[in-house]
Amino acid sequence: MIGLYAKAAAGAVLPRPSSLPDTVRTRTVRPTVGRVADYAAVCGFPLSDVLPATFPHVLAFGLQMELMAARSFPLALPGLVHVANAITLHRAIGLGEELDVRVHAERFAAHARGAQVDLVSAVSAGDTVVWEGRSTYLARGAHAPTGVAGELPEVATPEGPAAASWALGADLGRRYAAVSGDVNPIHLNPLTAKAFGFPRTIAHGMWTAAHALAALQGRLPEALTYTVLFRKPLLLPSRPELVTERVDGGWDLAVRSRAGVHLAGSVR
Amino acid sequence: MRKAAVIGGNRIPFARANGKYARASNLDMLTTTLDGLVARFGLADERLGEVVAGAVLKHSRDFNLTREAVLGSRLAPSTPAYDIQQACGTGLEATIAVANKIALGQIESGVAGGVDTASDAPIAVNEDLRKVLVALNGARTLQQRLKLLGKLRPGQIVPEIPQNSEPRTGLSMGEHAAITAREWGVSREAQDELAALSHQHLAAAYDRGFFDDLVTPYLGLTRDDNLRPDSTVEKLARLTPVFGKGDGATMTAGNSTPLTDGAALTLLGSDEWAAAHNLPVLARFVDAETAAVDYVHGRDGLLTAPVYAVPRLLERNGLTLQDFDFYEIHEAFASTVLATLAAWEDPGFAKERLGLDAPLGSIDRSRLNVAGSSLAAGHPFAATGGRIVSTLAKLLHEKGSGRGLISICAAGGQGVVAILEAAA
Amino acid sequence: MSNDRFRDFSNGGIAKRLGVPRIPVLRRYAPGQPLLDGPALVAGSGRFAKSVAALVTEEGGTVVDEVGEGRVAAVVVDLTDATTLDDLAAARAVLQPAVRALAPSGRVLLLGPSPSEASGVEAAAVAQALDGLVRTIAKEARAGATANLLVVDAEATPAAVDSSVRFFLSARSAYVDGQVVHVGVPVGSPQDPPALDSPTEKRLDGRVAVVTGAARGIGAAIADTLARDGARVVAVDIPAAGESLVAVANRTGGTALQLDITAEDAPARLVAFLTERFGRLDLLVHNAGITRDKLLANMDAERWDSVLNVNLRAQLRITEALLDSALLGDGARIVSVSSQSGIAGNRGQANYVASKAGIIGMVRALAPVVAPRGITVNAVAPGFIETAMTATMPVATREGGRRINSLRQGGLPVDVAETIGWLGQAASGGVNGQVVRVCGQSMIGA
């Protein structure tokens, strides 16, 4: 997948189409215990007979990348920023179930700061959709021909005392890259991160989201919708805090540090 | 003083090391087992008196293991918990701790047991490297750090893998057991016979549904995968000895427990708490005793401490060895069980070593490990106590009367033994 | 669960332009939801009209006596006193404008007399005519609206139909359509009024319920739904399904019981467990079922026996053992999950169909026997329900199954569960020996 980044970087200057491709990328996969265990260990989930609720995202991520790196995609992959993510788990997914993953892009539209697009993923067991994801990306300064960008979900930012303080090492980006396949250079190495304008490597948004959800182990329903907004990049190493607040019908949570709020999320 | 009630138990099937649970941590297994117990007894969101468990092979990340398991489980987070460790005696010692608090009226309910993984065993860095790393952590300047790093030598990078051996003798547990087996003249045939019976008993217990309310599947495993229902003395006789030396070697992989992963827990409570929750009382926890022997410089074998613990327990309770309907003697090795029984039958040993006028005598072997034991189920060290307590309590409940004796040997020359009686 | 891609597509902009018929999104129950989300037209001169109107008002709804400008969420016509063709014509006069004004997911509920109690030939003909009428309204209704008929015995009081009226008006009956349910005098001793106090929200408060096959699919949905309505659930499944069962039990605050219901001692073990842990049983849900499909020409004894043993023999044995025990008292309910296939037959499922048809026979035979003890026995017969099992069907079979019903979509496990919850209420003692289809008025076996 590093290859995809290289190819995409090389093609960044080439002209691009002005609308989304109709492409639907699909794959069929049966995650192994080893793969799930690696993911669970890095994100802080227990290993059980069901997949962590955020795990299917890594099954869909490779397809998202293929779609976004293709020449038919209107935005250049480097520089796309993951700004929001919503996951709906319809039922617990058993370890060992064969899963069909479909990814397509939609809601490509102009945004005050550029252009925004959603990568929509659906994971099915048999013909039943068991998991859905919507990843919203922003391309700063890019241009979209039509439309107004889809509204980002509304998520509260709880401000209470910290439930946890996380000591995050400099290698976290590399460790999550190894289990997720997200090898965006901004997560891997301070030098490559600098090349993209970050003082140091930054944590993957989806790792932060996963680790926050893992903290609610034993207190979550079987089916849930988990919505997160990625606010400020989380530089590594760092020591952010997790804030959780039980609300009617679920949880609100936030990951914050002195730099500000990095993630706000809601579980329903 | 009131006696604690044994209400029931839960364990996950035990898996041979590096098999089905190769990727499961102690915390994963203990939490899953706790959740299974919560479901069986309808305890979601309940606050219990306490949860006590432990693991023999622990990572530094297993800090506060039991409390972490409670926090990850469906029990109320207001349930306190702590870890203990007494080698293979951990599970039973945890049960004693909880039972004693219940007996004293300090708590009304509790969960006891343990977990172990031999697959996910901690690997420590070489001691020299560890010292450098600790110093590095304390270094304040880059210069100090570089100086410390300059001290590193390639040989220091070799990790230390935990050895299943006694720190003071350097011998493995199997080698220690082999010495005891030879001393008591325990034959290969007798060991293989005990091993075959263990498999047959465990298989029969599974087949009659005995474990339906004692075991919850995990990671696709529904029965202990060490279990060989078709095990026979003839098949076991073909194996080559692995412990001991020369022609006198009798201990094989078939009559020794394999390295295993798993977890087991037992629910205990006062009679009042059980009644208030409409929960059954399977048995009562009567008494327990722990003994230790000097296996380093003295004459006793590493795994022979129960030989000393049981007579003391019997005397305190005014019982004889024959007063039991069930005997649960942990099968660390088949030879350990047989040597223990031989010691209790030996008049000379009774007089010289136990200080008794007469030996404890023999037991009715048809009452020994009737639902199988560690040779068949496997032996995740700290989980064995919980497996045995729950199994024996259910056996007593089925019979409706009588008492059972538990005997568990542990590393460090220790032994933990206990008496359970059927609930009237 | 949004797993019907065609339904979702049919509600999108492209489909509208293409003229693809819309598949309605059904209103489903959520705690706190009002009984109806619009006014109810209550008409008719039978003895229930007044109490139905009171019930709707009590639930915070508005009652109108004729159709006005806006839409109505429900139309209830009490025709229990209809005996002549003139009465029938009067019913038409009420229903004709009413069905035109019916809101999406609206409800048509008729109450009619029992043909077997009719005092003359014309009265019997009129009573039977309602049967055909309601099935037709169901077929003509649009946008997720349903139509059902309660056939009420002459002796039955308003209290006897209360829980059934609530069920059929509410969103809980989303996928029950075109059904005719007989309501008689409630079995057992008369219910204390307090038992009917909070019928909508916690209609099963404190009741002990056993659900077999509860580890996944419809069984898990039944456990969830019963627990949501206040029941203390004992989730039963085979030991091998133990880990999923733990999840169901813990999230419902219930208890897991690993039990192979076909085992020789299973009935005794269940009785012992319930005696020890609860001392009673208020609702027994026979849900566990398996399939081993083969054409009869290729069906060996093993396939036949395994299906019959789980789906029917275990139910017979467990029911018998529980009835022999003192656990099932006055107000206890037994609900068995049959199947549309058990009514219509299905190619390649001789064993399954025999077992599911057998359940209907069991229910009908048992109902009069247990009625004097205050116990009812009913069956639900699901049609096409979206589960992991249907997900593995070939596409053509699945699409066919989904669309050939009046609601043009598959039902959800929760639709079956809600129906069981209604039959499981203490207040539903007037419904006994019935087979209620949860099929969106499927054409199969109709």
Side-chain angles (χ1 to χ4, degrees):
Chain A
M1 203 168 296
I2 297 225
L4 278 180
Y5 268 100
K7 214 169 89 187
V13 293
L14 295 175
R16 297 222 158 232
S18 59
S19 63
L20 286 181
D22 296 336
T23 329
V24 176
R25 296 267 176 176
T26 63
R27 65 187 288 218
T28 298
V29 61
R30 194 190 294 273
T32 61
V33 177
R35 181 155 183 210
V36 176
D38 287 339
Y39 177 87
V42 172
C43 297
F45 287 103
L47 179 63
S48 78
D49 273 7
V50 298
L51 301 182
T54 47
F55 179 78
H57 178 83
V58 307
L59 300 178
F61 182 75
L63 300 178
Q64 287 191 2
M65 289 301 292
E66 286 175 25
L67 217 143
M68 293 192 287
R71 287 288 307 281
S72 57
F73 198 74
L75 300 170
L77 179 56
L80 276 183
V81 184
H82 197 177
V83 291
N85 203 86
I87 280 170
T88 297
L89 176 68
H90 292 297
R91 66 157 168 86
I93 306 172
L95 193 56
E97 281 193 75
E98 188 175 88
L99 302 171
D100 293 315
V101 188
R102 298 163 55 90
V103 173
H104 73 275
E106 65 181 40
R107 300 212 304 188
F108 174 48
H111 182 280
R113 285 183 292 160
Q116 190 174 295
V117 66
D118 285 0
L119 272 290
V120 178
S121 318
V123 174
S124 315
D127 189 52
T128 307
V129 176
V130 291
W131 185 96
E132 293 173 272
R134 177 179 291 273
S135 304
T136 303
Y137 293 91
L138 173 69
R140 284 212 180 83
H143 176 69
T146 51
V148 178
E151 298 258 317
L152 289 184
E154 293 219 353
V155 176
T157 307
E159 290 174 348
S165 168
W166 298 345
L168 308 183
D171 65 339
L172 178 63
R174 285 188 295 279
R175 288 173 57 218
Y176 183 73
V179 300
S180 68
D182 184 348
V183 292
N184 188 332
I186 58 174
H187 304 302
L188 302 183
N189 181 298
L191 292 176
T192 49
K194 274 203 181 84
F196 287 90
F198 295 100
R200 305 196 299 271
T201 53
I202 62 171
H204 291 79
M206 287 308 292
W207 176 86
T208 313
H211 197 53
L213 192 69
L216 294 172
Q217 180 203 353
R219 276 141 193 76
L220 293 172
E222 186 202 11
L224 55 85
T225 294
Y226 181 35
T227 310
V228 294
L229 293 181
F230 302 113
R231 293 261 167 79
K232 279 204 158 66
L234 178 54
L235 295 175
L236 296 173
S238 66
R239 207 175 170 91
E241 295 175 340
L242 171 72
V243 188
T244 59
E245 187 176 305
R246 194 187 271 281
V247 294
D248 197 32
W251 294 86
D252 285 341
L253 55 86
V255 178
R256 70 186 180 201
S257 69
R258 268 176 300 180
V261 175
H262 303 285
L263 173 149
S266 82
V267 187
R268 295 293 185 272
Chain B
M1 212 183 319
R2 65 183 183 180
K3 289 171 186 163
V6 181
I7 293 166
N10 184 49
R11 67 177 176 98
I12 53 176
F14 293 168
R16 289 174 68 100
N18 302 311
K20 282 274 189 186
Y21 302 166
R23 299 302 310 270
S25 67
N26 279 331
L27 183 57
D28 291 335
M29 292 192 286
L30 191 60
T31 310
T32 299
T33 306
L34 194 52
D35 269 338
L37 189 86
V38 168
R40 181 158 298 142
F41 297 100
L43 300 175
D45 302 322
E46 276 288 328
R47 177 172 68 84
L48 301 184
E50 66 186 17
V51 180
V52 184
V56 175
L57 297 177
K58 257 186 168 181
H59 289 262
S60 55
R61 66 165 184 258
D62 287 335
F63 159 80
N64 223 358
L65 172 68
T66 310
R67 173 63 182 149
E68 288 299 321
V70 168
L71 286 172
S73 79
R74 290 276 169 171
L75 276 183
S78 50
T79 300
Y82 65 92
D83 288 18
I84 67 162
Q85 202 262 69
Q86 193 180 40
C88 308
T90 303
L92 185 53
E93 202 65 72
T95 312
I96 296 169
V98 170
N100 284 351
K101 277 202 187 180
I102 291 170
L104 286 170
Q106 293 169 343
I107 56 174
E108 292 301 313
S109 63
V111 173
V115 55
D116 254 297
T117 169
S119 303
D120 185 33
I123 292 177
V125 295
N126 172 299
E127 183 61 17
D128 294 339
L129 175 59
R130 193 186 67 81
K131 282 183 183 144
V132 175
L133 292 174
V134 168
L136 203 57
N137 196 37
R140 302 212 168 266
T141 66
L142 181 66
Q143 218 167 13
Q144 285 175 333
R145 283 193 197 119
L146 287 174
K147 201 173 155 194
L148 283 164
L149 286 171
K151 285 185 179 174
L152 279 180
R153 297 290 171 269
Q156 294 172 333
I157 311 293
V158 178
E160 285 193 354
I161 292 169
Q163 313 248 317
N164 191 10
S165 70
E166 287 298 314
R168 289 174 189 279
T169 62
L171 296 181
S172 75
M173 213 172 255
E175 287 163 332
H176 270 289
I179 296 168
T180 308
R182 200 166 50 236
E183 191 183 323
W184 286 100
V186 178
S187 75
R188 167 77 187 266
E189 293 69 31
Q191 292 178 47
D192 287 349
E193 198 181 325
L194 190 85
L197 270 178
S198 184
H199 284 277
Q200 289 157 14
H201 284 161
L202 185 70
Y206 267 112
D207 288 345
R208 72 182 177 92
F210 180 79
F211 291 113
D212 283 359
D213 59 1
L214 291 174
V215 176
T216 306
Y218 181 53
L219 298 182
L221 196 59
T222 55
R223 285 187 179 194
D224 314 309
D225 66 1
N226 186 58
L227 171 61
R228 303 278 176 277
D230 55 354
S231 190
T232 62
V233 175
E234 292 71 34
K235 283 182 189 167
L236 289 168
R238 284 183 224 135
L239 300 171
T240 315
V242 290
F243 298 114
K245 292 191 185 97
D247 290 345
T250 57
M251 291 172 51
T252 69
N255 58 39
S256 311
T257 50
L259 287 174
T260 326
D261 306 335
L265 293 167
T266 304
L267 176 64
L268 299 110
S270 65
D271 283 9
E272 296 77 19
W273 186 86
H277 288 74
N278 285 318
L279 294 173
V281 176
L282 301 185
R284 290 206 175 73
F285 197 92
V286 177
D287 197 5
E289 175 77 20
T290 304
V293 295
D294 182 2
Y295 65 101
V296 184
H297 307 293
R299 286 186 292 166
D300 290 304
L302 175 72
L303 303 176
T304 62
V307 173
Y308 292 83
V310 166
R312 296 191 326 224
L313 182 66
L314 293 176
E315 196 195 349
R316 186 161 69 231
N317 287 275
L319 295 168
T320 72
L321 186 60
Q322 289 69 37
D323 290 338
F324 295 88
D325 302 89
F326 299 103
Y327 301 87
E328 285 288 336
I329 306 182
H330 161 50
E331 298 167 339
F333 303 91
S335 66
T336 315
V337 179
L338 295 166
T340 300
L341 294 175
W344 285 335
E345 289 167 10
D346 189 275
F349 191 91
K351 204 173 174 105
E352 291 162 28
R353 308 275 279 279
L354 300 177
L356 301 172
D357 295 338
L360 299 185
S362 58
I363 65 163
D364 178 350
R365 289 281 291 272
S366 71
R367 299 177 176 185
L368 175 64
N369 299 344
V370 298
S373 187
S374 303
L375 286 168
H379 171 40
F381 311 118
T384 290
R387 174 186 67 75
I388 291 179
V389 173
S390 302
T391 299
L392 176 59
K394 183 164 177 192
L395 288 168
L396 287 165
H397 184 62
E398 279 186 337
K399 189 175 188 301
S401 65
R403 55 176 88 80
L405 179 68
I406 298 171
S407 163
I408 296 176
C409 56
Q414 306 196 87
V416 193
V417 303
I419 297 171
L420 262 57
E421 66 185 14
Chain C
M1 207 189 293
S2 123
N3 43 19
D4 185 337
R5 289 186 198 141
F6 183 73
R7 184 196 63 201
D8 297 342
F9 166 73
S10 78
N11 285 290
I14 300 171
K16 212 180 278 175
R17 286 200 296 275
L18 292 175
V20 173
R22 267 193 162 183
I23 308 294
V25 176
L26 307 181
R27 179 177 186 244
R28 285 196 168 82
Y29 177 75
Q33 184 190 64
L35 182 68
L36 294 165
D37 58 5
L41 170 69
V42 181
S45 50
R47 63 194 190 282
F48 299 105
K50 224 176 238 167
S51 60
V52 170
L55 181 159
V56 170
T57 314
E58 179 198 315
E59 289 294 331
T62 320
V63 176
V64 296
D65 48 15
E66 60 183 25
V67 176
E69 292 289 294
R71 297 198 169 256
V72 290
V75 178
V76 185
V77 188
D78 181 359
L79 299 163
T80 47
D81 59 348
T83 52
T84 67
L85 283 170
D86 290 343
D87 295 337
L88 202 55
R92 184 215 62 85
V94 172
L95 285 164
Q96 183 270 324
V99 294
R100 292 179 70 118
L102 205 56
S105 290
R107 296 282 180 267
V108 175
L109 183 63
L110 304 188
L111 290 86
S114 166
S116 62
E117 289 183 336
S119 55
V121 176
E122 185 178 353
V126 167
Q128 191 64 41
L130 297 180
D131 187 296
L133 179 62
V134 85
R135 291 173 198 269
T136 303
I137 297 172
K139 288 191 175 179
E140 291 178 355
R142 289 180 300 180
T146 64
N148 295 284
L149 169 66
L150 297 178
V151 172
V152 191
D153 279 352
E155 298 287 308
T157 60
V161 301
D162 183 279
S163 74
S164 300
V165 170
R166 286 174 196 274
F167 173 71
F168 281 107
L169 291 186
S170 74
R172 295 178 198 261
S173 62
Y175 201 62
V176 183
D177 195 12
Q179 294 303 294
V180 177
V181 175
H182 178 263
V183 184
V185 176
V187 300
S189 59
Q191 285 299 324
D192 294 334
L196 304 172
D197 261 353
S198 175
T200 318
E201 282 292 305
K202 289 281 176 191
R203 56 184 181 168
L204 300 172
D205 211 15
R207 285 169 77 78
V208 177
V210 163
V211 181
T212 66
R216 47 181 70 97
I218 293 178
I222 297 169
D224 286 339
T225 305
L226 300 184
R228 180 203 65 195
D229 289 351
R232 299 154 74 192
V233 174
V234 178
V236 179
D237 215 313
I238 52 170
E243 205 182 359
S244 321
L245 195 66
V246 165
V248 172
N250 283 347
R251 74 168 183 258
T252 57
T255 307
L257 175 62
Q258 299 185 153
L259 181 71
D260 175 358
I261 55 166
T262 63
E264 191 57 38
D265 62 348
R269 280 163 76 168
L270 183 60
V271 168
F273 177 87
L274 291 168
T275 305
E276 190 167 71
R277 300 286 286 275
F278 298 94
R280 66 172 213 269
L281 176 63
D282 304 301
L283 173 54
L284 170 62
V285 182
H286 288 300
N287 165 72
I290 59 168
T291 56
R292 296 279 184 279
D293 297 356
K294 261 300 185 231
L295 293 176
L296 182 58
N298 304 318
M299 174 89 58
D300 56 24
E302 197 279 326
R303 273 172 200 276
W304 181 270
D305 291 342
S306 60
V307 169
L308 269 292
N309 284 345
V310 175
N311 297 10
L312 189 55
R313 193 189 301 275
Q315 291 199 13
L316 289 164
R317 294 182 63 229
I318 286 172
T319 305
E320 188 185 2
L322 284 166
L323 286 170
D324 287 347
S325 77
L327 289 163
L328 292 168
D330 194 337
R333 306 283 174 252
I334 300 172
V335 184
S336 200
V337 178
S338 176
S339 164
Q340 166 176 287
S341 312
I343 297 167
N346 198 19
R347 188 171 185 277
Q349 291 197 307
N351 47 2
Y352 181 76
V353 167
S355 70
K356 293 297 182 181
I359 285 170
I360 295 173
M362 172 186 86
V363 162
R364 288 183 178 148
L366 210 49
V369 178
V370 297
R373 293 172 58 180
I375 302 171
T376 65
V377 189
N378 293 287
V380 294
F384 187 93
I385 302 295
E386 309 273 0
T387 62
M389 214 198 276
T390 58
T392 58
M393 286 178 175
V395 175
T397 317
R398 188 176 56 235
E399 268 309 299
R402 266 183 188 157
R403 305 296 165 215
I404 52 167
N405 60 69
S406 299
L407 297 171
R408 284 175 293 150
Q409 60 190 290
L412 298 183
V414 71
D415 297 328
V416 180
E418 298 282 14
T419 310
I420 290 171
W422 156 54
L423 295 168
Q425 283 178 265
S428 297
V431 184
N432 192 17
Q434 301 292 295
V435 180
V436 181
R437 295 182 56 165
V438 185
C439 65
Q441 199 184 28
S442 171
M443 290 176 213
I444 297 171

